[in-house]
Structures are given as structure tokens and as C-alpha cells.
Amino acid sequence: TLTAARGLRPIVPIGAGSAVLVLLARLAELVRENERLGRAAASGEEHFRALAESINDVVLICGLDGVVQYVSAGPRRSYHYAAEDLLGRPVYDVVHPEDLPRVVDAVTAFLDTDCDLDVARIACRVRATDGTWLPTESTISRYGRAGDGTDQLLVTTRDFSEQVALERQVAHLTFHDGLTGLPNRAYLEERAREKVGRSQGPVAVVFVDLDGFTAVNDSIGHAGGDQVLAQAARRLRAGVLVDDTVARWGGDEFAVLMESATEVQTVVDLGERLLRALAGEPYRVADRGIVLTASVGIAFAEDGVKGAELIRNADIALSRAKELGGGRVEVFAAKMHADVMRRLELGSDLQRALTEQQFAVEFQPVVELATSRVTGVEALVRWWRDGVSVPPEEFIGTAEESGLMVPLGNWVLREACAQVAQWRGNGWEIGLSINLRPREIAAAHFVDSIAAALADSGLPPGALTLEVREEVLVDGSDELIERLSALRDLGVRLAIDDFGTGYASLAFLRQLPVDVIKIDPSFVSGLGRDETLTLLTRTIARVGRDLGLTVVAEGIERPEQLELLREMGCPRGQGYLVSRPMAPNGIEALVQLNPRGEASIPLHGSVISAS
């Protein structure tokens, strides 16, 4: 077994220990019974036999040669022997051949004149009349009838089948998953440690995770989710070799230990095969078919890598596969571990940065394309880590993972609202746009925090536009939509950010609680170069206008993009051609206020310029 061989310590000692305690208690009871029988024998033969017949244990009196001279009723109940089947026969005849040498040695040692033990304890297997071998525990003591000088042995034997079955059941539960019947995390960790420690050929671990499984539990309940997991386990088991170990790691994660991973490509092929097996057919729950994809991470044992590290590496590779969108296989590389450590370090530094106010807010102008008039600014957070700027794409994800996105987003909101309220107080009538992340919307008191920021800064609700990515609105829960609707009731405007990336159809716009759509930069980048992207951009601008929505083109970087957007009738835009994000004083120096309190960015010919 995993815990009994090669000196390995049990992973879960509590469950196995309980079985051991049961065995010890029964053995102690057996010793006490043997002592009672001895005392009964000393007090009288009749009393002894009455006691022997009343207990469930087998009581034998044997000669020193092991020949049975007396048998209680116990063998009939436990082993189905009649008394005449055993009387006059050596007791050794019913002992398992593999155990017999050890039993004989123990009895011989007990009978040695130098032995000072009163009782010998022996465990062995005994044959029943149907040929099965039953585990037993026996105690042996000397027994002599008073006055005749006869020296005999008193043997009390107890059937331990139930206790052994209990021990096996405890061991199974300790190392197996109750839902799928697969080995569990404890088993896999022990097996990986054993195989890697032995260095018996190449070893690999394949981690598998069902993409989007949380939505399954949310939609059909945990009982339905359990059915999906059980079906996934069967598919995985059917997709690997007999010698490979498939385990349920936890939740919707599974792991495969390949003990003969001779070729890297063979393991990668297995990962691809498991992906197809898990995603090839819908999972059936009642009358519903549920389609899921999966992600796979693979790691190979290398010199100096222990079992726990091998499993960790496979888990890191799995995380990388999910970060890249899921439905793919990733093989662990050392850089992945370095990235994980860097994200952990970033999380710690982010917490310190919030305390020490290392963040700043920059603003990127949004202009009216026909006139170059600045109609608003988008607030963007910047982090100066020890005096060096950290790109947002490097820390925003970490902020979300570490739970810091909510306080960071609230700080940006308050700073930006205060700054734009100040500009408006100076006569510059502009609006403010801020991008929201899903965790910010899901945070407790989200709507109240927006209302408080507006009230404290004095910024009118209509001057604030909150941007939400397209997929958040389309896939969002009813609670999320309700919160966004509550913001509209406050007077705050809502925008779909990066519109056109494939999540929402144009027809769906009428159902969404939005006022603004921002065309994704990937569409704008193709203007004048890609006919399809140009046509799609024109269509979005026209449909938005027909629905009464404000359309903003993001990522304007070339003059021909600007001219085409103007020709399409797209009302507003932003991008590096207009202006890069700037600190507040840079924005103030860039724009020119006219007597009517309007701001514009200077034009050079027909091109908007930030210079």
C-alpha cells in the first residue's frame, strides 16, 4: 500500500489511526477473554467449558505438538467447522501456508524455557470450510489440568474480518474521492512523491480543468454539477493508459500521473486527447445537454524536482492555459513560475502602494471629431513603483486577483471626480469616463460608493460615464444589470467599452442599459486597409446613431483613420493621434479655452494634434 511500504508515512493518519485503535481495542478484549478463560480453568473444568461455549471467539486446547484436544462452539459460528473436523488434527492444518512458518516460530519461542511471557499474541490467516482465508488474532497461554501433570496450550482466536474490512474502507476513503471514485489529492501527492523519489524513468503530471464550470453550478445547481463531474471523470479514465493514475484534485480539477512519460510529444498528445474527450460531446443532466471546454497544464519531472514541485508546476501550466482563454494545452516552463512569483510580489507591493499613495491619475481627451472640441476625458490609473512606471497591463490583473481592485478603483473614481469637478468649476464643461472592472461592480455598496464620490466632489451625475466591457454586460448576472440600472437612475451614463469584439450583436444594443458605445481599437486600426473592418466600423457608427447612442472611436493613430471616421459620421474619438494620456497639468496646457468655456485641441491642417 501507499502508507505501509518503504517506510513512507501516512498522509492522512487520522482515518487510518481510527482503524488501528479499533484493532487494538479488540485485541485487548481478546487478551482479557483469554485471562478469564485461564481463571475459569483454574477454578474448575465445568466453569471453563461453560464460559468457552458462551463466547463468540474460538477456544481450543492443544497439545504441545499443536494437535487439537478440545474445541468450543466458536468454529461452527465463524468458520463453519464441526468439532469433529478439528479434534485430533494439528491446528497448523488450517493456518495459511505463507503465515505458517511465522506461527510455528512464535509458538516455539513461547514454549522455550527461557521465555518469561505469560501470553503470546499471533496474527495469521485461517481457512474456513469454503476455502476463504480469514484474518485472525490469537492469544496462547499454558494450560494444565489440575493433578494430572498434563501440559497443554489454551488458544483463543478471534475473527478480525470486520475490522480488516473497516481498515480497508478507511484507507479507501482516505485516498479516494467519494463523488467520482477516483483517487484523491492525497493519493496523487503520495504517489507522485513515491515515483519521483524512486527516479524510475520519466514521470509527468497532466492537470485538467473544466472551463466555466462555476456557471454550471449556478445554472443547474450543485447536484447537476456533480453529475457533470462524474461524467468527466469517466471520460478521463477512459482516455488514459491502464498504468496511468487519474485523480480528482478538487472542485472541477483533475490530474493524471503518467509513470512512463518517455516522449514529450506523447504526453502532449494525451493532453490534446483529453481535451477532445471532455469537450467532444455535451454532458447530459436530466433532459439538458451542457457543452464545456477544458484547459490542460503539463509538467515533466526533471533532476532535482520533487513530487510536490512537479504537481505545482503542472498547476501553474494549467493556470497559464486558462489565462490564455482556455481550451488549450500548456507545457510548464520555468518562466511561468517566475511570473507567478512576480505576481505575488506585485500583490504585496500593490498593497504598499495604496498605503503610500504611489498611484496617479492621468487623463486622455475625447474629442468631437468634426470640430476637435474636447467633450470629455477618460481617467486612467498609473503606478509609479519606486519611481518607475508600471504598465497597467502588468498590475491590473494582479490587483483583481489580490482583491485590491475595489479600493484602487474607488480611489481613482474619487480623484478623477474631484479633478473634473474642479475643471468644470473653472468654466470647462467636459465629462468624465472611467472604466469599471467586474469585481468593482460586484463589490458591496457599489452604487452607494459612486453616489458618495459624486456628492463629495460636486460633479453632476450626468457628467460621469462609466465604461463596462461588452462581455460583462452580455454575460452579467441579473444583480449586475440591476446595479448598472440603478446607476442610470442616479443620472450616470453607461458605455460599452471595446464594442465589436464579438460578444454582443447590434440587435442586442436596444436591450442593454447603455448610452455610449466605444468602437474597439482593432476595428479602427483596419480603417483604410481592411475593407471588412471599414464596413463594420461604418455599420456600428450608423446603427449607434440610429439608436440615439453616442459613438466613440478608440485608438485613432493615423490621419486617414480620422478622415474616414469623419466621413462615416462618427461623432467622437480618442487615441494617440488626438492626445496621449497626460497628468492634469498637461491636459490644461494642451487644450485652449475659448470665451464660451469650450476647449479644443489645436489642428495642424486637417489633423488633430497633441503638440
Side-chain angles (χ1 to χ4, degrees):
T1 65
L2 285 173
T3 57
R6 295 169 294 280
L8 293 174
R9 293 179 298 175
I11 293 177
V12 186
I14 297 176
S18 63
V20 171
L21 290 175
V22 171
L23 292 175
L24 290 176
R26 295 297 299 272
L27 184 58
E29 182 182 347
L30 183 62
V31 172
R32 290 194 296 271
E33 200 68 62
N34 190 277
E35 292 174 349
R36 288 174 58 201
L37 288 169
R39 290 193 296 272
S43 62
E45 188 71 19
E46 184 177 346
H47 185 192
F48 163 77
R49 291 181 181 273
L51 181 58
E53 297 297 327
S54 68
I55 63 176
N56 290 324
D57 301 327
V58 176
V59 179
L60 305 175
I61 296 177
C62 301
L64 298 183
D65 56 0
V67 175
V68 178
Q69 301 174 0
Y70 166 78
V71 183
S72 69
R76 289 193 297 273
R77 291 188 291 265
S78 300
Y79 309 95
H80 309 294
Y81 285 111
E84 54 270 22
D85 294 332
L86 295 175
L87 287 173
R89 293 178 55 190
V91 71
Y92 301 125
D93 288 353
V94 295
V95 176
H96 195 286
E98 294 179 1
D99 299 339
L100 185 58
R102 178 169 48 81
V103 172
V104 172
D105 289 344
V107 174
T108 302
F110 177 69
L111 295 176
D112 191 282
T113 55
D114 295 331
C115 179
D116 56 358
L117 295 177
D118 295 329
V119 176
R121 300 182 181 91
I122 300 175
C124 66
R125 287 165 289 178
V126 170
R127 186 180 63 243
T129 57
D130 61 2
T132 58
W133 296 97
L134 304 179
T136 66
E137 291 282 355
S138 300
T139 61
I140 302 175
S141 61
R142 293 181 180 275
Y143 171 70
R145 294 177 181 172
D148 63 4
T150 304
D151 196 3
Q152 299 170 303
L153 297 177
L154 174 63
V155 181
T156 305
T157 300
R158 175 161 294 176
D159 178 12
F160 265 59
S161 299
E162 292 183 2
Q163 284 70 30
V164 171
L166 173 62
E167 185 178 352
R168 290 173 180 169
Q169 183 181 8
V170 169
H172 181 84
L173 294 175
T174 300
F175 290 106
H176 287 77
D177 173 56
L179 173 64
T180 63
L182 294 175
N184 61 12
R185 178 173 184 165
Y187 183 97
L188 184 77
E189 289 176 332
E190 182 76 359
R191 187 69 173 172
R193 180 163 55 245
E194 176 187 343
K195 299 303 294 185
V196 174
R198 282 179 160 191
S199 299
Q200 292 184 342
V203 179
V205 169
V206 180
F207 257 65
V208 183
D209 179 88
L210 297 176
D211 299 329
F213 181 75
T214 301
V216 175
N217 280 335
D218 293 341
S219 60
I220 64 175
H222 288 275
D226 288 347
Q227 293 183 47
V228 171
L229 290 175
Q231 294 175 49
R234 289 194 292 271
R235 296 184 188 185
L236 289 172
R237 183 64 267 180
V240 303
L241 298 177
V242 176
D243 294 337
D244 296 337
T245 300
V246 181
R248 184 184 178 196
W249 186 251
D252 60 325
E253 285 191 23
F254 298 86
V256 180
L257 177 66
M258 298 186 67
E259 300 180 12
S260 57
T262 54
E263 297 288 341
V264 172
Q265 190 58 47
T266 300
V267 183
V268 175
D269 289 344
L270 171 67
E272 296 283 0
R273 190 163 65 248
L274 295 180
L275 277 187
R276 292 192 295 271
L278 292 174
E281 296 181 4
Y283 295 87
R284 306 306 306 182
V285 179
D287 58 346
R288 302 183 61 174
I290 298 173
V291 178
L292 292 174
T293 59
S295 299
V296 172
I298 298 173
F300 295 88
E302 300 175 352
D303 292 340
V305 174
K306 298 180 180 179
E309 293 175 288
L310 175 62
I311 292 174
R312 180 206 64 192
N313 293 345
D315 198 16
I316 290 174
L318 173 64
S319 297
R320 177 61 175 166
K322 295 188 76 66
E323 288 174 4
L324 295 175
R328 59 186 295 139
V329 176
E330 285 291 319
V331 179
F332 174 80
K335 182 179 180 298
M336 293 182 183
H337 183 241
D339 289 343
V340 171
M341 297 306 295
R342 184 174 57 82
R343 285 200 297 269
L344 291 174
E345 182 181 350
L346 267 180
S348 176
D349 289 351
L350 276 170
Q351 183 69 62
R352 179 168 57 89
L354 270 174
T355 304
E356 298 179 0
Q357 297 183 347
Q358 296 178 5
F359 294 99
V361 178
E362 292 186 351
F363 299 90
Q364 185 174 36
V366 177
V367 300
E368 190 174 74
L369 296 184
T371 64
S372 76
R373 182 175 64 90
V374 179
T375 61
V377 290
E378 180 178 355
L380 303 167
V381 64
R382 297 292 183 259
W383 180 17
W384 292 92
R385 185 188 189 193
D386 299 325
V388 178
S389 177
V390 181
E393 60 269 19
E394 292 189 13
F395 71 83
I396 292 297
T398 303
E400 287 195 283
E401 293 173 4
S402 62
L404 294 175
M405 195 65 241
V406 173
L408 177 58
N410 193 52
W411 179 85
V412 171
L413 172 69
R414 289 183 164 275
E415 290 289 314
C417 285
Q419 180 61 69
V420 174
Q422 178 184 331
W423 282 333
R424 291 176 66 90
N426 294 335
W428 183 11
E429 295 297 320
I430 62 166
L432 168 65
S433 297
I434 296 180
N435 194 283
L436 291 177
R437 312 293 290 194
R439 289 203 176 185
E440 295 179 82
I441 304 173
H445 311 298
F446 163 69
V447 177
D448 292 339
S449 66
I450 301 293
L454 292 171
D456 293 345
S457 65
L459 185 69
L464 176 62
T465 300
L466 297 177
E467 301 177 7
V468 182
R469 288 183 63 87
E470 189 177 354
E471 68 269 23
V472 176
L473 284 173
V474 175
D475 298 333
S477 63
D478 292 340
E479 182 182 4
L480 181 144
I481 300 300
E482 288 175 4
R483 290 186 172 197
L484 294 178
S485 298
L487 290 178
R488 294 194 79 200
D489 293 341
L490 287 177
V492 174
R493 291 158 56 85
L494 297 178
I496 301 180
D497 193 24
D498 297 336
F499 183 82
T501 52
Y503 291 92
S505 67
L506 293 173
F508 195 51
L509 283 175
R510 186 174 296 277
Q511 305 174 37
L512 296 174
V514 296
D515 307 281
V516 180
I517 55 175
K518 302 187 74 173
I519 303 175
D520 187 75
S522 63
F523 285 75
V524 177
S525 67
L527 292 179
R529 297 178 177 178
D530 187 305
E531 292 183 2
T532 300
L533 291 177
T534 301
L535 177 61
L536 288 172
T537 303
R538 186 184 303 275
T539 301
I540 293 172
R542 183 176 65 251
V543 172
R545 183 172 60 250
D546 292 345
L547 293 176
L549 303 176
T550 301
V551 180
V552 180
E554 295 185 277
I556 305 174
E557 297 182 349
R558 302 192 312 273
E560 64 268 26
Q561 295 170 344
L562 172 63
E563 293 304 325
L564 280 170
L565 289 167
R566 282 173 167 170
E567 183 267 327
M568 292 174 185
C570 181
R572 296 182 185 178
Q574 65 184 106
Y576 284 179
L577 184 66
V578 177
S579 173
R580 291 179 177 272
M582 294 184 178
N585 56 356
I587 295 292
E588 293 167 357
L590 177 66
V591 300
Q592 298 174 345
L593 290 176
N594 62 32
R596 292 181 301 166
E598 295 179 345
S600 62
I601 292 180
L603 298 178
H604 290 266
S606 62
V607 180
I608 295 177
S609 173
S611 61

